[in-house]
Amino acid sequence: MAAIEQQFPSEQLSLLAELESWRKEINRPTYHMHKWWATRLGSVFRAILIGALSENDQDIWEGFYQALRFPGKVIFDPFMGAGTIIGEALKLGCYAIGADINPVSVFQVRKALEPVSFEDLLAAFERVAAKVAQPITQLYQTIDPESELPLPLLYAFWVMSVPCPACGSQVHLFDTTIFAKHAYPQRVPVCQSICLDCGAINEIRYDASVVRCRGCQTIYDPHRGPARHSQATCPSCQHTFAIVHAVAQGGHSPTYHLYALLALRPDGSKVYLPATEDDRQKVALAGELLRSHSGPLPATPILAGHNTDQIRRYQFTSWRQLFNERQLYCLSLLLEAILAEPDEPCRELLLLLFSGTLEFNNMLCSYKGEGTGAVRHLFYHHILKPERMALENSVWGTPKSSGCFSTLFHSRLLPALRYRQQPFELALCEEKGKLVGKKIYGLSDSPMTSLASHFTELSEQRRALLLCTDSSQVPLPDGSVDAIITDPPYFDFVHYSELADFFYAWLRPALQERYPEFAPETTRSPQEVQQRKAEAFSAALCRVFRECRRVLKAEGVLVFSFHHSRTEGWLAVGEALLQAGLAITAVHPIKAELALATPKSQARSPINYDAILVCKHQAPARGPLSYTAALATVVQETVTRLRSLQVASEQRLPALSRNDCFVLAQAQALRVFSLSRCLLRTDSVAEQGTAQELSLASFLDLVAQEVDSIWQQVRAGRPETITVPAISSAAPATTPLAAGHSHPRRSYPQQPGAQPQPLPWPLQDIFDSQDGKAGNS
């Protein structure tokens, strides 16, 4: 039996995962050379791999900081994404097989693993710089009104503009006149406000309610602009209109007005300046150069879809429209120089960096402000959202820039190469009263390797096999994989191919001759496991799980992380597992992505913990089990694990939420159901020797109705008993109780669970040690 079927260090590992999540691109840089969505944490998967490959007498947390190796073991990830599991498996001495249907995923993982000469890469970068750095930076300059000398631009501030449907006047869609402030305004209260009458920039307090413009003496409220939510009011005629309807009426994507700049002075100080006509002429010059330039540019349309419809409503119909003319010209120059590089490994690695640069250099970016990574990239919310107050970055960049090609080369690409040469793990330690991560070297092999072209070619020289394919049909022999570790998609959340097409539109012309998967016009595929309807998602996931069962050895485990806030998500996953012939043998909670990630911060009840589900080939059913006993088991296991986490979370981790309770309860419900098949047994029926089957949907609904009760028990503390519902034996097996139905209660003794090991540092110390920066990934 694998160690992970018996125990898992959820409390200790969750604290380490929280620390790692604040700077994933620094703590695991190899997996963050390029954007991929909902990437889980490397430390979590290292622990999962150790638990999956070790016998049950191995202490997983103790083994985490040992130089463990599992030579000859084969790991498979059918939903590879950014390649975190592949890299962690290679670090533990395994052979690693990764599959993903999206070519952008496979390309970035290939570049993360394949060897490249450090010196050759530096030389290639310098050759590219010699060709394009000067012509690009000349287009990102302004004149200092004090010295009348040219200054390099850090950022240019634009506002979306639409004609008023009533009078035709251009309406600049400012939500607020404050366009720049510190990330921590209580500490640094100064911010920048644009006067909508004269265009002057006023330095004010972030909480000022009345401002007198220093340029025209107009008095205005800095927190009010023409736009408010989905509507705008024309300053000229006071007509209020729906913004998206005004855009549609124009028949083309919105125009943008340049209104302010952030420039860098020779002494290193930054200065906010109003945009002048000369600055706008520089953008116009770039447009003229673009029209006479024959360099590579994206030519593919934006197809309709769940995420892409968000920008298509604003009449963005091609990927090229997400960039202004200066960005397009400079990006085309840069791409042309990269593609001229003769060294193939260096050329493709710089091409990957170029693709990553696109995330921070488009008109869907916005300004995060001083005191943190300044550029809020277009995928900060996992969606495609038009920005009314947009930020233009400087494509090549300066030493003070964020998210530019030159800065990402030094801050993202080079650290990734260094990490894979000398990987490290973080160990929690106290430094000046704060919790920090100490780097521990020597625990892991390098994940760098040449790639095999098929399964039989796996060897010490070629330790990884990457497949761009539908994971329901992989070219692997039966029973050839020791463990399958993965993080499957969530059916109604991130639509990977729709978002990946943003990068693919630029990468495809450069790679389609070398890699057949880059031949289609889009990364979308009918076989992608990313359906909006639960039934379709379950069927697609089941096909992959069936293939996993085929290639998995008889005693091997399939381990994956999952969370969902609705029962239908758990039902989809549960039915896929059961129909594939797999059963869940263990469930463990674990810290998920960054606690302050944007999707979480906007959720009423954020999910801070994933459920880790450990699965094996389905054994014969254990025999009939009453649903009362099944429900008692779910409640007992859920309360026990949450109370253990709660002790840690009260001081050191994000607070548990009701949705965390829901996630773990649903996961435990799947475990109990998959092991027993939940045959309903009552005394009267048992005497007749028959049993009635309870559906998975009914059982999940039954458990969902108990979440509030479970949550109340968790919040109440640690009583000696755990209260679970007592349900009449005469209740119909196939009919879930109505929502809000009050159950009589029975008390069951609490089974001893793993006791939390206290750790002495509060969560705020983690935040302080990271300077409040979550990075640009």
Side-chain angles (χ1 to χ4, degrees):
M1 181 176 289
I4 198 169
E5 295 181 77
Q6 297 296 306
Q7 45 90 17
F8 195 73
S10 296
E11 292 78 19
Q12 303 98 313
L13 189 60
S14 289
L15 183 58
L16 178 63
E18 177 70 12
L19 180 64
E20 180 188 330
S21 71
W22 276 85
R23 300 305 299 272
K24 291 189 291 186
E25 76 282 6
I26 291 177
N27 296 322
R28 285 291 201 281
T30 301
Y31 317 136
H32 299 280
M33 292 163 52
H34 191 277
K35 176 69 179 180
W36 198 255
W37 299 267
T39 300
R40 290 304 184 251
L41 300 167
S43 56
V44 171
F45 283 116
R46 175 179 172 84
I48 289 174
L49 283 159
I50 290 171
L53 296 173
S54 300
E55 296 299 322
N56 60 2
D57 58 349
Q58 170 69 60
D59 184 296
I60 297 173
W61 184 240
E62 182 179 295
F64 190 94
Y65 292 107
Q66 295 176 344
L68 296 179
R69 296 294 184 275
F70 302 94
K73 296 292 186 180
V74 178
I75 302 299
F76 175 45
D77 179 2
F79 300 106
M80 179 171 59
T84 304
I85 295 165
I86 303 303
E88 293 302 310
L90 292 170
K91 285 166 57 181
L92 288 167
C94 304
Y95 296 139
I97 303 171
D100 205 290
I101 202 166
N102 197 293
V104 176
S105 160
V106 178
F107 179 67
Q108 69 183 79
V109 179
R110 179 181 283 122
K111 296 301 104 181
L113 301 180
E114 285 182 332
V116 65
S117 164
F118 207 89
E119 293 73 19
D120 289 349
L121 182 65
L122 288 171
F125 175 78
E126 292 301 328
R127 287 192 295 270
V128 171
K131 290 180 181 178
V132 302
Q134 184 177 8
I136 291 177
T137 53
Q138 283 181 340
L139 288 171
Y140 285 96
Q141 290 183 342
T142 190
I143 299 300
D144 187 348
E146 293 185 3
S147 67
E148 297 186 352
L149 295 175
L151 299 179
L153 285 187
L154 291 173
Y155 311 109
F157 299 86
W158 297 75
V159 61
M160 185 185 290
S161 181
V162 297
C164 170
C167 70
S169 300
Q170 286 296 120
V171 181
H172 299 326
L173 300 175
F174 287 100
D175 298 280
T176 171
T177 71
I178 297 174
F179 66 91
K181 63 181 179 181
H182 199 274
Y184 302 93
Q186 292 83 2
R187 300 181 193 173
V188 184
V190 173
C191 68
Q192 310 296 322
S193 169
I194 181 80
C195 174
L196 301 185
D197 286 347
C198 71
I201 293 176
N202 297 287
E203 188 172 276
I204 66 171
R205 278 186 58 92
Y206 76 98
D207 54 358
S209 59
V210 177
V211 172
R212 182 184 293 274
C213 175
R214 65 183 182 87
C216 65
Q217 304 304 307
T218 298
I219 296 175
Y220 65 94
D221 179 354
H223 300 282
R224 297 296 299 271
R228 185 171 179 81
H229 303 304
S230 62
Q231 294 187 318
T233 300
C234 175
S236 299
C237 70
Q238 302 304 308
H239 174 64
T240 298
F241 57 91
I243 294 171
V244 70
H245 293 161
V247 174
Q249 201 171 43
H252 56 77
S253 58
T255 59
Y256 287 84
H257 172 72
L258 177 64
Y259 65 92
L261 311 166
L262 180 58
L264 186 64
R265 284 187 164 139
D267 62 0
S269 63
K270 301 173 184 177
V271 57
Y272 289 93
L273 300 170
T276 66
E277 195 55 39
D278 286 342
D279 295 315
R280 298 185 184 96
Q281 284 299 318
K282 197 170 291 272
V283 178
L285 171 62
E288 294 175 10
L289 293 171
L290 176 67
R291 284 182 282 277
S292 62
H293 182 63
S294 58
L297 287 169
T300 51
I302 299 174
L303 303 177
H306 177 70
N307 287 134
T308 51
D309 283 350
Q310 295 157 349
I311 54 173
R312 283 170 56 91
R313 292 176 66 233
Y314 282 77
Q315 308 303 304
F316 291 102
T317 56
S318 71
W319 294 110
R320 186 184 303 192
Q321 290 175 300
L322 302 189
F323 306 84
N324 68 27
E325 290 185 326
R326 179 161 57 184
Q327 289 172 326
L328 285 172
Y329 176 67
C330 294
L331 289 168
S332 181
L333 278 182
L334 178 55
L335 180 56
E336 192 173 45
I338 291 170
L339 296 181
E341 272 300 301
D343 185 298
E344 184 178 278
C346 293
R347 179 176 69 246
E348 292 194 349
L349 204 50
L350 290 177
L351 179 61
L352 182 73
L353 178 65
F354 168 85
S355 181
T357 303
L358 298 172
E359 183 183 7
F360 305 95
N361 289 268
N362 60 82
M363 295 300 283
L364 270 65
C365 295
S366 57
Y367 192 46
K368 289 166 68 176
E370 303 278 357
T372 184
V375 183
R376 184 179 290 111
H377 56 79
L378 83 162
F379 290 125
Y380 79 98
H381 204 311
H382 301 330
I383 60 175
L384 290 165
K385 175 180 174 290
E387 284 294 335
R388 296 202 284 255
M389 296 174 67
L391 184 76
E392 180 187 8
N393 208 347
S394 173
V395 170
W396 183 263
T398 74
K400 296 285 188 178
S401 296
S402 173
C404 305
F405 186 81
S406 64
T407 57
L408 289 175
F409 178 80
H410 294 286
S411 67
R412 179 181 282 190
L413 194 56
L414 295 185
L417 300 188
R418 294 190 189 102
Y419 179 85
R420 70 184 195 177
Q421 289 177 331
Q422 287 189 300
F424 58 83
E425 300 304 324
L426 291 179
L428 301 172
C429 62
E430 188 176 9
E431 187 176 287
K432 296 180 180 179
K434 295 181 180 179
L435 182 65
V436 297
K438 179 183 178 182
K439 295 179 180 179
I440 307 295
Y441 291 89
L443 299 178
S444 304
D445 288 342
S446 167
M448 183 167 54
T449 180
S450 296
L451 300 178
S453 58
H454 48 78
F455 180 79
T456 58
E457 201 174 274
L458 286 171
S459 65
E460 287 306 304
Q461 290 71 42
R462 301 177 183 274
R463 298 189 295 136
L465 171 63
L466 304 182
L467 305 167
C468 188
T469 187
D470 170 14
S471 291
S472 68
Q473 294 179 314
V474 292
L476 301 177
D478 293 355
S480 57
V481 173
D482 293 282
I484 298 173
I485 316 294
T486 193
D487 180 33
Y490 305 147
F491 74 91
D492 58 352
F493 188 40
V494 181
H495 292 253
Y496 298 95
S497 60
E498 294 183 22
L499 304 181
D501 275 353
F502 169 80
F503 300 111
Y504 185 79
W506 290 87
L507 290 172
R508 178 177 172 248
L511 296 174
Q512 59 185 339
E513 293 185 6
R514 174 164 164 74
Y515 301 107
E517 58 263 32
F518 279 88
E521 188 177 57
T522 175
T523 66
R524 300 187 193 188
S525 168
Q527 285 75 44
E528 182 183 17
V529 182
Q530 192 57 72
Q531 290 74 16
R532 294 188 63 185
K533 293 184 177 179
E535 297 81 1
F537 170 76
S538 185
L541 188 61
C542 179
R543 289 192 291 271
V544 175
F545 281 158
R546 280 201 182 106
E547 186 73 343
C548 288
R549 188 180 188 279
R550 179 185 70 80
V551 303
L552 184 64
K553 291 181 179 179
E555 293 304 314
V557 293
L558 183 155
V559 186
F560 66 96
S561 59
F562 189 75
H563 74 246
H564 207 282
S565 60
R566 299 197 306 275
T567 300
E568 64 176 332
W570 291 97
L571 178 61
V573 169
E575 289 184 336
L577 283 169
L578 292 172
Q579 292 174 19
L582 295 166
I584 302 169
T585 62
V587 169
H588 308 290
I590 190 63
K591 172 71 180 66
E593 61 182 325
L594 178 65
L596 297 184
T598 300
K600 281 189 182 182
S601 66
Q602 297 180 358
R604 181 175 302 174
S605 179
I607 296 175
N608 285 312
Y609 293 88
D610 287 344
I612 296 173
L613 293 92
V614 183
C615 309
K616 299 187 78 169
H617 288 262
Q618 198 171 74
R622 294 184 177 180
L625 177 70
S626 73
Y627 64 86
T628 304
L631 187 58
T633 300
V634 170
V635 171
Q636 184 169 273
E637 291 293 333
T638 302
V639 173
T640 300
R641 292 310 302 269
L642 286 177
R643 282 180 180 161
S644 181
L645 271 178
Q646 187 181 43
V647 172
S649 69
E650 284 176 349
Q651 298 179 4
R652 308 164 195 91
L653 291 169
L656 290 166
S657 71
R658 182 192 179 280
N659 269 347
D660 290 324
C661 181
F662 176 84
V663 165
L664 194 57
Q666 293 283 284
Q668 290 288 2
L670 288 185
R671 181 186 69 84
V672 171
F673 189 94
S674 70
L675 291 176
S676 66
R677 307 309 292 259
C678 275
L679 295 178
L680 175 65
R681 182 178 63 193
T682 64
D683 292 340
S684 59
V685 175
E687 292 173 359
Q688 301 171 13
T690 61
Q692 186 176 5
E693 186 174 354
L694 179 72
S695 72
L696 176 59
S698 295
F699 188 56
L700 290 174
D701 282 340
L702 198 64
V703 170
Q705 292 168 36
E706 293 302 317
V707 168
D708 284 330
S709 172
I710 296 172
W711 181 228
Q712 289 170 10
Q713 293 183 61
V714 171
R715 297 179 67 183
R718 303 176 66 102
E720 294 181 357
T721 60
I722 296 173
T723 305
V724 299
I727 304 171
S728 168
S729 61
T734 56
T735 305
L737 297 177
H741 184 84
S742 177
H743 300 297
R745 302 285 166 183
R746 293 180 184 165
S747 293
Y748 290 78
Q750 181 176 352
Q751 292 182 350
Q755 296 300 310
Q757 299 184 18
L759 294 163
W761 307 283
L763 180 61
Q764 187 58 46
D765 286 349
I766 299 178
F767 298 168
D768 292 343
S769 70
Q770 298 297 324
D771 294 325
K773 298 179 181 180
N776 277 326
S777 282

